[in-house]
Amino acid sequence: MSAVYDCSQPDSRADGLTAAAGAVRSSRLVVLPTDTVYGIGADAFDGAAVQSLLRAKNRGPDMPVGVLVGSWSTVDGLVLGVPPQGRALIEAFWPGDLSIVLPHAPSLRWDLGTTRGTVMLRMPLHPVALELLREVGPMAVSSANVSGQPPAATAQEAQEQLGDSVAVYLDGGPSGEPVPSTIVDLTGDQPLVLREGAVSVDAVSEVLGVPVLSA
């Protein structure tokens, strides 16, 4: 049976974060609120848990899972290096709704799907998500829905789709407009917006000081 915790109440929030951290450390899945839509998450370094996440979403490894972090400094241990353009985007938009794709550190032993040596990173602007991430470390997180279905804007919508495949649901209230994060790929010679979401291409171009193309 899944457990649902109302994070608007201090006691329930504390209990929920404790339960969610225990679930992540036990290779189980959690649903957490973010500043975009609700996410389904697992320990980023637990390959079996990430496979469970993909199965819950009915999704294959050809659509790899991104990673949420709880602090800027965490990124340095996950990638080969953060280029100046990456630092500029992090300083401008994190925590927030911008995801950055970078080459991951080859020493890391994780399996996020068919990433071709890259990782998509984001630091969400949501207190519940940040508290959990700072407790358990980087998490593999995808939108909390079955592939092909609308993203969940509430914990209840996530539960209706994912059911008992998730151990703990952290209910942080409605997420607002279900707009995904903008994804910027910094693995090539020029920055490329793979998906325009909450942050506009123009805003990215302004921060980087150069026109940015969209895929």
Side-chain angles (χ1 to χ4, degrees):
M1 284 289 293
S2 303
V4 182
Y5 294 88
D6 180 0
C7 292
S8 68
Q9 304 298 319
D11 289 346
S12 179
R13 171 174 166 162
D15 291 344
L17 285 165
T18 297
V24 171
R25 294 186 180 113
S26 301
S27 302
R28 293 177 292 164
L29 306 179
V30 302
V31 158
L32 63 156
T34 78
D35 48 342
T36 54
V37 295
Y38 271 75
I40 176 174
D43 181 347
F45 300 103
D46 186 331
V50 175
Q51 290 301 311
S52 294
L53 187 159
L54 292 172
R55 283 195 299 273
K57 286 180 61 73
N58 193 25
R59 174 167 155 176
D62 57 311
M63 298 177 67
V65 184
V67 173
L68 295 188
V69 297
S71 68
W72 292 8
S73 59
T74 305
V75 174
D76 292 309
L78 303 178
V79 299
L80 280 173
V82 182
Q85 290 178 325
R87 295 283 181 202
L89 292 175
I90 287 171
E91 291 174 6
F93 298 113
W94 283 17
D97 36 21
L98 184 98
S99 299
I100 301 173
V101 180
L102 291 166
H104 74 67
S107 59
L108 293 181
R109 306 187 71 172
W110 58 12
D111 182 6
L112 302 170
T114 310
T115 63
R116 297 179 176 84
T118 67
V119 62
M120 184 174 72
L121 299 167
R122 187 168 83 86
M123 181 181 175
L125 181 59
H126 195 289
V128 174
L130 287 174
E131 193 167 343
L132 179 59
L133 289 163
R134 287 166 180 165
E135 177 66 25
V136 302
M139 291 180 62
V141 178
S142 182
S143 56
N145 60 290
V146 174
S147 288
Q149 298 299 312
T154 66
Q156 181 180 357
E157 289 178 4
Q159 191 174 19
E160 287 170 354
Q161 294 194 50
L162 300 169
D164 287 339
S165 64
V166 172
V168 174
Y169 289 84
L170 297 177
D171 186 349
S175 65
E177 291 297 322
V179 180
S181 67
T182 295
I183 302 174
V184 181
D185 186 347
L186 296 180
T187 63
D189 294 333
Q190 300 293 330
L192 179 67
V193 173
L194 300 180
R195 179 181 73 194
E196 184 172 16
V199 177
S200 70
V201 173
D202 288 344
V204 174
S205 297
E206 183 177 354
V207 167
L208 297 183
V210 294
V212 177
L213 299 176
S214 298

